Amino acid sequence: MYPYCVSVQVFSPRRVNNLPSERRKDQPLGKRILTSGWTWTFFAALLLYTMCIFTFFSLLMADIEVPGGVLQGINMSALKQSAWLAAPTVIFWTVIFLITDRFRPQRPLLWFLALGWGASVAVVVSAEINTWASEHLNIVGDGNPAAQARTAVFIAPFVEEASKATVLFLLAIFVRYRLVSRTTLVCLGGLSAVGFAFTENILYYSRVIVFASQTIEVGDAAEALHQTVLLRGLWTSFGHPLFTVMTAFGIAIGIRSRSKVVRVLAPLAGFLLAAFGHMFFNSQAEQISQMGFMYWLVIVPLLLFVILYVIRHTLAQGKLISHRLADYVRVGWLLESDPEVFSRLRTRLYAGFLALTKGWSIFLATIEIQRAMTELAYLRDAETNGIVDQTANLRAEELLLKIRELRPNAMSDPRGLKISLPKLPKFRWSRSRVPLANQAAGGEKDAIAGYSAVDPNWKPPGE
């Protein structure tokens, strides 16, 4: 009974504050993997995402009966070609969003959850709801073809933004402690939108390929496909990430706020801003395809504003880390140099690169101490803002002990140190060794370089 009581007293407050505990390293690696909730989360998500993708593309490949004939589904050849055409866009934007969050990069599993959700679950949910809404609008509009356009403008923005952002709300509920900054939410929200755009681009490219191969009125099929790829893969490739990032901003503000009103209204305001922005974007689709003035006057400046805002917040993150680590310096728990070293992004990157030249163990220790310092700073910020209660002291103690253990092996202060790359072995080139008989015959002339010539008159003593 006593261990159970201790567990309730210690871990229940942590669950309330969503504070993790330090992982035990005294157990075998296999047991730690099998007993980790992250492991089963990965397999459950992988199964769900695979089922959604299989279901979605199975429906696309099936023939559909329409008045006057049969609409042929998308074939496997078109899907493969479309996937190759859509790959550069998703790779580019994925790298961009992963670079965005540098002070406290998230687990690769969270990146997978966000990217996979957007590419599978969000697409399936959006397709089902948009199709249902389009059918009802057709009934109301008495078969008017404009119903499809009405769905794209008035229905699809709300459905798609909600489906993409659902994964952000789920992560905010279960692992809100890790979502400490706006750049973290920007990274995860952008990945969800990038995955959504990837699957959607495959759909659009495949439709163009199949339609162009069956309809002679299209003209040059390759040119039609090229124009579609250029429009969706380049000029408007930032559309989905741009609007989902607005929802991410709202969630980030709500998580770090003490006010319950702000926690509710901030995510809602971010979602509405994303939906209405998406609605305006879709309404201007024809002008965007012609590079109209609304594209350069509204959409591009909005993208630049978001980029500048993210850069500004990244710089503000450094100041926050410096100020919060200084609190622990005042009580003597950290070194005086720690706030300056761990709050500068370039210093952290240089320390990581320098540690990599010293060995793999030093590099891992350096990365761990940087993550611990960042977590400690945001933990202190949450405590001062009233987001967490005194239970944060238990987590702070764990982090301080971890930092103390890592410091001897980590590159904690790289200032003034130079990179020492491993030296390559030196090779000395010399003439090939001459046989001893030739040395005796040629004397010093044929002596080996670096050695004295052999005297032909020499003989052992006593002979």
Side-chain angles (χ1 to χ4, degrees), residues 36 55 97 163 207 227 246 297 409 447 460:
S36 175
T55 302
F97 282 110
S163 61
R207 284 178 174 175
Q227 292 296 331
M246 297 179 183
L297 187 64
N409 299 323

Side-chain angles (χ1 to χ4, degrees), residues 151 179 426 452:
T151 302
L179 311 181
K426 296 182 179 180
S452 60

